[in-house]
Amino acid sequence: MVETSTFGSDRRCRHVWKDDVFRARTKALGARTDRERRALAGISKATLRRWRYCLVTPSLDVLQRVAGRLGVGISDLLSEAAIV
């Protein structure tokens, strides 16, 4: 996911959630559905939606916890957004 979203405001995310990396890693760990992915990562349905659609930027402590549970680095889960 490379696009940023303004979704009703003129704020844009500085960091963009890499959903493809998240899906690939959770698939490698055996998850097939979003429910299983969220359970592996330890996040709620609302949190995953907010991150996917760039409604909020993930907080560092939650991101560290998710990265640790998935066995990847924080930088693997986020990319810098091109703010125009």
Side-chain angles (χ1 to χ4, degrees):
M1 182 170 186
V2 186
E3 300 174 15
T4 58
S5 172
T6 54
F7 200 76
S9 71
D10 42 338
R11 294 181 306 142
R12 293 181 187 247
C13 293
R14 291 186 63 192
H15 297 94
V16 178
W17 174 253
K18 291 183 182 176
D19 199 50
D20 55 338
V21 173
F22 177 72
R23 285 176 180 267
R25 186 61 190 140
T26 53
K27 183 178 181 180
L29 294 172
R32 294 172 304 187
T33 64
D34 269 354
R35 178 176 286 178
E36 292 170 343
R37 288 183 191 101
R38 292 190 317 266
L40 279 174
I43 56 176
S44 70
K45 183 177 183 178
T47 298
L48 183 57
R49 181 182 180 282
R50 288 182 196 118
W51 291 357
R52 276 186 178 160
Y53 297 105
C54 199
L55 302 176
V56 297
T57 300
S59 65
L60 184 58
D61 57 335
V62 174
L63 194 57
Q64 285 176 330
R65 189 186 75 217
V66 170
R69 290 180 81 159
L70 298 179
V72 296
I74 292 174
S75 60
D76 295 330
L77 292 175
L78 289 179
S79 65
E80 290 288 325
I83 308 266
V84 252

